[in-house]
Amino acid sequence: MKKKLLGIFLAATMAVGMLAGCGGAASDSSDSSDTASTTEDSGDSGASGDTISIGFAQVGHESDWRTASTKSCQDVFSEANGYDLSFVDCDNDSAAQLEAVRSFIEQDVDYIIIDPIVSTGWDTVLTECEDAGIPVIVIDRTIEDSDKYTAWVGSNFKTEGLAAGEWLKAYAESKGISEINYLTIAGSTGASAQIGRSEGFDEIAEANGWNKLDEQDGDFTEDGGQSIMESYCKSYEGKFNVVVCQNDNEAFGAMTAMDNAGITYGLDGDVILISFDACTAGLEQVKARKITADFECNPLAAPFVEEVIKKLEAGESVEKEIFMEEHWYALTDAIVDFSIDGEAQTMTEVTDDVIDAQY
Ligand code: GYE
């Protein structure tokens, strides 16, 4: 790998927060200095010769999904496993994320992992990574305006949206519900997870003549979900029978708002509540009959990223796109047959064992 003779500028140069226990890992083994600037002339930027240094520019800490994603990376890219991980929580700030990537270039890390907050605005900084000879592995959300990265590991968000739409069609038919009036609480605008889930679900809605009342940005947070749902409850009182939340945390916020407004939802209520992510806390709400169906997005990309890195270290070629497996969850009352583009789907019943095994 091409390396430049760069000084290593650690925590002091970071304008964005580094989580305790991650950013300092560079110096924990044999080198006691974690703030000094040093100039190295070898290909190894870690404290020991075999350590692989990685910079990870994470989206933020907005959701249970994000917490699981961060933990997955920290577990896999631990010091004990031979890694020196510089972790930056970008707090949903795209400018901070670009700055984090540039700081990794200055540190001359061996690999950069990016979970892009938004899907555009990447070509310049990815060119800088390329010029520095640092392979970039993108996880989760996609980059649309540049292909200057080595690999991407994640999920097909449009498929998740299509799954939710096709499930709703089959579920509504099974319940004799002929009219769908839906409200969407979207994820952060411009995130590929938001774009794909909206596109997929709306495609099925249009094909079936459903009425989309509104879509507003809940920023993938519980607070965002609650405040959007509070305003929906006022503006669309008595007019909606489906709420689509683009992640579990937004669904939790929407549940609070509907509870406060006296609106019933879930398997025994008036409103069908759809969610995405299917983290442990989301599945608990499926089990409690509050979330009618939950469409998984797998946050555990790190083991796949490690495979990519091992192949690159061995000089092997890697796949440009790696998709992770996902499941669609409900209780038996809401398990229906449906297919996506002619491909039959299997739904998973939420049991205590399923919940315990989830992240
Ligand atoms: O759905 C949400 C998180 O990018 C797929 O981001 C991810 C999304 C996930 O905040 O919970």
Side-chain angles (χ1 to χ4, degrees):
M1 177 189 315
K2 190 177 96 190
K3 286 286 180 188
K4 288 192 169 180
L5 304 180
L6 288 176
I8 302 172
F9 302 98
L10 293 179
T13 63
M14 306 293 261
V16 282
M18 297 172 98
L19 285 194
C22 319
S27 60
D28 285 347
S29 52
S30 58
D31 183 345
S32 64
S33 112
D34 64 351
T35 52
S37 297
T38 57
T39 303
E40 299 198 2
D41 61 1
S42 78
D44 302 311
S45 53
S48 81
D50 297 319
T51 301
I52 295 174
S53 60
I54 298 179
F56 174 26
Q58 173 64 294
V59 169
H61 50 272
E62 70 283 358
S63 64
D64 287 31
W65 190 99
R66 190 63 54 202
T67 305
S69 158
T70 295
K71 186 173 181 305
S72 167
C73 276
Q74 290 173 343
D75 287 350
V76 170
F77 299 116
S78 65
E79 215 183 321
N81 289 344
Y83 297 98
D84 167 10
L85 178 67
S86 290
F87 175 87
V88 179
D89 174 338
C90 300
D91 201 15
N92 224 14
D93 177 340
S94 293
Q97 192 165 43
L98 293 177
E99 199 172 333
V101 173
R102 292 196 165 105
S103 76
F104 297 148
I105 296 173
E106 282 181 6
Q107 288 178 52
D108 198 20
V109 296
D110 296 323
Y111 296 93
I112 294 176
I113 303 173
I114 303 172
D115 189 330
I117 295 169
V118 290
S119 59
T120 54
W122 286 101
D123 198 55
T124 305
V125 78
L126 290 187
T127 305
E128 291 166 26
C129 294
E130 197 172 69
D131 290 347
I134 303 174
V136 172
I137 300 162
V138 179
I139 63 166
D140 171 32
R141 301 181 185 176
T142 53
I143 284 176
E144 303 303 333
D145 64 345
S146 178
D147 63 356
K148 294 186 183 116
Y149 54 87
T150 304
W152 167 86
V153 179
S155 306
N156 188 325
F157 303 116
K158 184 167 179 194
T159 301
E160 294 170 8
L162 290 170
E166 294 287 15
W167 167 82
L168 178 60
K169 182 176 179 230
Y171 179 69
E173 270 168 22
S174 78
K175 297 280 163 200
I177 299 168
S178 55
E179 199 179 307
I180 300 286
N181 296 298
Y182 72 101
L183 289 163
T184 298
I185 301 179
S188 309
T189 305
S192 66
Q194 175 273 315
I195 297 167
R197 288 171 189 167
S198 292
E199 260 179 30
F201 190 86
D202 291 352
E203 192 174 301
I204 306 301
E206 273 164 39
N208 291 284
W210 300 343
N211 182 24
K212 181 175 190 173
L213 296 166
D214 210 339
E215 170 168 336
Q216 285 181 35
D217 182 347
D219 230 1
F220 284 127
T221 65
E222 182 162 350
D223 284 354
Q226 183 173 341
S227 67
I228 301 292
M229 196 67 226
E230 279 164 359
S231 83
Y232 282 168
C233 287
K234 288 185 193 127
S235 315
Y236 301 102
E237 194 185 346
K239 296 190 177 125
F240 62 94
N241 60 351
V242 175
V243 173
V244 183
C245 295
Q246 287 185 350
N247 81 345
D248 287 338
N249 297 82
E250 291 181 339
F252 306 150
M255 285 161 53
T256 305
M258 287 194 277
D259 286 341
N260 292 340
I263 295 167
T264 61
Y265 52 86
L267 280 176
D268 309 310
D270 292 333
V271 172
I272 296 168
L273 182 57
I274 294 172
S275 182
F276 293 89
D277 280 0
C279 289
T280 305
L283 292 186
E284 280 167 352
Q285 294 308 323
V286 175
K287 181 94 198 304
R289 307 178 68 81
K290 297 293 184 188
I291 292 176
T292 321
D294 207 341
F295 296 83
E296 188 183 37
C297 182
N298 189 341
L300 309 182
F304 297 90
V305 175
E306 189 180 35
E307 284 307 306
V308 169
I309 289 175
K310 281 184 174 160
K311 283 189 178 165
L312 293 173
E313 289 289 309
E316 295 168 19
S317 62
V318 297
E319 298 280 326
K320 181 100 181 182
E321 287 188 332
I322 298 162
F323 287 92
M324 293 187 296
E325 202 189 326
E326 297 167 301
H327 300 89
W328 322 133
Y329 292 100
L331 290 180
T332 44
D333 304 14
I335 289 185
V336 286
D337 289 336
F338 70 94
S339 54
I340 301 174
D341 295 331
E343 201 182 310
Q345 304 293 303
T346 306
M347 292 191 78
T348 304
E349 183 193 349
V350 176
T351 61
D352 288 333
D353 286 347
V354 167
I355 295 173
D356 287 347
Q358 200 70 330
Y359 24 79

